[in-house]
Amino acid sequence: MGGSHARTAASTSHRWLKCPGSVNACVGIPSPGSAAARQGTGAHALAEKLVMAKKSTATSMLGQKFKFKYWDDGKKEDCELVVDEEMVQAVDVLIELVNSVHVPGKSILQLEQKLSLEFLKPGMFGTGDVVIDFPLETLHVVDFKYGFTPVFLYDTANWVTDEHGNLEVFPEITFESFMQA
């Protein structure tokens, strides 16, 4: 997980919606990662690996070292964490949600789906952590939040901008799930 971010990414919309000049002002300024960001990225990577492997639980990973890629200030670095009980529980909730909604052959499961937000601002995009599409019927989008700091749905511009991207890319009925672990 991780990788490129738009200059006006949904994940930084809390800043540039309040101060549009910050987009240009931040160019070239280092943006180092944090322990919380690394932990959240690790949880996302673990969830992605287990969902893709069609696992029903993360329990087998408890106490194991897990390696993943993390983007720190535009550079990819190798990271490792030991999977603890809290992470297993959070990832299990996501796996259960995916397994309860996704119907192979009827729905399309996509992880880390890039969502265009070009209609809001050129070059802008967001990422849906889990997208389960029942074509021309229903769309389920999951925003998986994991880490040290709670994220409140009513106060996240990231969710609002991603939701608009979902509606632009997938015009069906959309259910947005915001999963705080």
Side-chain angles (χ1 to χ4, degrees), residues 22-54:
S22 69
V23 174
N24 289 332
C26 291
V27 172
I29 295 175
S31 178
S34 66
R38 280 181 189 80
Q39 184 183 43
T41 300
H44 273 81
L46 179 62
E48 180 177 26
K49 175 184 175 174
L50 297 175
V51 167
M52 293 304 291
K54 297 181 170 68

Side-chain angles (χ1 to χ4, degrees), residues 116-135:
S116 173
L117 298 168
E118 291 275 336
F119 66 97
L120 292 174
K121 185 162 182 64
M124 186 177 171
F125 63 88
T127 305
D129 295 331
V130 177
V131 176
I132 303 171
D133 186 14
F134 289 85

Side-chain angles (χ1 to χ4, degrees), residues 62-77:
L62 182 60
Q64 301 293 315
K65 290 183 179 177
F66 179 70
K67 294 181 181 185
F68 60 97
K69 302 289 184 191
Y70 177 75
W71 290 85
D72 190 358
D73 201 22
K75 295 178 241 111
K76 191 184 332 184
E77 67 179 55

Side-chain angles (χ1 to χ4, degrees), residues 38-164:
R38 280 181 189 80
Q39 184 183 43
T41 300
H44 273 81
L46 179 62
E48 180 177 26
K49 175 184 175 174
L50 297 175
V51 167
M52 293 304 291
K54 297 181 170 68
K55 299 292 184 183
S56 60
T57 181
T59 304
S60 66
M61 294 299 295
L62 182 60
Q64 301 293 315
K65 290 183 179 177
F66 179 70
K67 294 181 181 185
F68 60 97
K69 302 289 184 191
Y70 177 75
W71 290 85
D72 190 358
D73 201 22
K75 295 178 241 111
K76 191 184 332 184
E77 67 179 55
D78 293 323
C79 287
E80 182 177 88
L81 57 76
V82 174
V83 178
D84 61 15
E85 182 65 34
E86 183 178 315
M87 187 175 290
V88 166
Q89 290 175 2
V91 171
D92 276 355
V93 171
L94 180 64
I95 290 171
E96 184 178 324
L97 187 147
V98 169
N99 290 338
S100 69
V101 174
H102 176 53
V103 180
K106 288 186 126 185
S107 63
I108 301 164
L109 173 65
Q110 298 172 308
L111 303 176
E112 292 298 300
Q113 172 67 40
K114 186 174 179 179
L115 303 168
S116 173
L117 298 168
E118 291 275 336
F119 66 97
L120 292 174
K121 185 162 182 64
M124 186 177 171
F125 63 88
T127 305
D129 295 331
V130 177
V131 176
I132 303 171
D133 186 14
F134 289 85
L136 303 175
E137 292 178 15
T138 308
L139 176 74
H140 295 266
V141 179
V142 181
D143 189 5
F144 178 52
K145 300 295 183 191
Y146 179 86
F148 299 139
T149 308
V151 178
F152 299 100
L153 180 59
Y154 63 84
D155 195 28
T156 175
N158 182 10
W159 182 83
V160 172
T161 52
D162 273 350
E163 178 63 20
H164 285 292

